[in-house]
Amino acid sequence: AVGFLNGYIVVKTGLPSFIVSLAFLFILRGLTIALSIALTNKTIISGVGNLAEGDWLGAIFGGQIGTEFFIWLAKMGWIETYSDGSPIVAGIPMVVVWWFLLTAACSFVLLRTRFGNWIFASGGDANAAKNVGVPTDNVKIILFMFTAFCATVFAACQVLEFGSAAADRGLLKEFEAIIAAVIGGALLTGGYGSVIGAFFGALIFGVVQMGIFFTGVDSDWFRVFLGVMLLIAVLFNNFIRKKVTSAR
């Protein structure tokens, strides 16, 4: 519903998508914190994991798969174990499973369907796409709704993984998402990019973040890396775009 409202405002007013999305981000974040304090007098709601334990829907978002396989790996001595013999890695978290499933589904839609062509056309030149019969307004609204759906899936996975809902969780994630997409080859001007590219952009982002953490390097260097990678990615993407357009 929030995604529909964002998309509807964008197509009816002609305002930039980024501005409308950013405005609603602050509205929702402010409402979440204010209502959490007003209703519960705190910004963290704990005990969610206990309530979801044993629930089939909770397992879809907060469970793990392959636990028996990782127990077998631990018995074979191929992965580290705790003092009680249980594997350090208990299984593949569902947030990773959702990541792969959404990547596969979205990549198929973008590259193999008519709707995928509509997405590229609407992002590249909305007026030209509309002139050849592409329902650009509907495409944009659907994409806003799907983006909201993906955000909801990730939020549900986080809440069930940590066992609590924190009103202030997710700060600056909006910019990290943009950086991951740009590193993956997407152009902010629209019309160019791929789901697989965004997939590897997020992978690079996550690997570097965890690598800096485990090596004990000051976390401030991670932000330096993000800024440098973003600048390099934008320059490289702009260079490729100019090469492609000049070749035409």
Side-chain angles (χ1 to χ4, degrees):
V2 172
F4 173 82
L5 183 58
N6 273 255
Y8 185 81
I9 292 175
V10 168
V11 299
K12 291 300 180 182
T13 63
L15 293 173
S17 301
F18 181 77
I19 298 300
V20 175
S21 299
L22 193 64
F24 266 89
L25 169 67
F26 282 101
I27 291 172
L28 291 173
R29 182 172 290 162
L31 284 174
T32 302
I33 296 176
L35 291 176
S36 296
I37 295 175
L39 297 176
T40 66
N41 202 29
K42 52 187 177 182
T43 59
I44 299 178
I45 309 300
S46 58
V48 179
N50 296 330
L51 291 173
E53 189 173 352
D55 189 277
W56 67 271
L57 189 59
I60 291 177
F61 295 101
Q64 295 178 331
I65 64 172
T67 52
E68 295 295 330
F69 176 69
F70 282 93
I71 292 175
W72 177 77
L73 291 177
K75 289 181 178 179
M76 297 296 293
W78 291 346
I79 62 174
E80 295 292 330
T81 61
Y82 292 108
S83 57
D84 60 357
S86 60
I88 289 180
V89 181
I92 301 175
M94 286 305 297
V95 65
V96 177
V97 176
W98 276 101
W99 182 37
F100 275 94
L101 289 177
L102 287 172
T103 298
C106 294
S107 185
F108 175 81
V109 171
L110 193 64
L111 299 177
R112 301 292 182 180
T113 67
R114 181 174 63 176
F115 186 74
N117 289 331
W118 288 356
I119 293 174
F120 277 121
S122 300
D125 191 329
N127 290 327
K130 186 177 293 184
N131 290 335
V132 296
V134 176
T136 55
D137 289 351
N138 291 339
V139 169
K140 183 164 289 189
I141 291 175
I142 290 172
L143 292 178
F144 266 99
M145 294 174 67
F146 184 70
T147 301
F149 166 77
C150 291
T152 304
V153 169
F154 180 66
C157 290
Q158 271 213 329
V159 167
L160 290 169
E161 179 183 355
F162 291 103
S164 62
D168 58 349
R169 188 176 295 156
L171 292 175
L172 299 180
K173 288 295 182 184
E174 61 276 14
F175 298 109
E176 293 179 2
I178 295 172
I179 292 172
V182 172
I183 291 175
L187 291 182
L188 297 181
T189 52
Y192 295 88
S194 69
V195 180
I196 299 297
F199 175 93
F200 282 105
L203 183 63
I204 294 171
F205 181 94
V207 168
V208 172
Q209 184 178 35
M210 296 308 298
I212 289 177
F213 173 78
F214 283 114
T215 54
V217 178
D218 193 336
S219 60
D220 292 334
W221 286 105
F222 176 64
R223 300 189 183 279
V224 174
F225 166 81
L226 283 184
V228 172
M229 285 297 296
L230 178 60
L231 183 60
I232 293 175
V234 170
L235 292 174
F236 181 74
N237 292 348
N238 190 52
F239 172 77
I240 294 298
R241 182 178 64 85
K242 289 182 178 179
K243 283 290 185 181
V244 172
T245 54
S246 61
R248 294 176 181 176

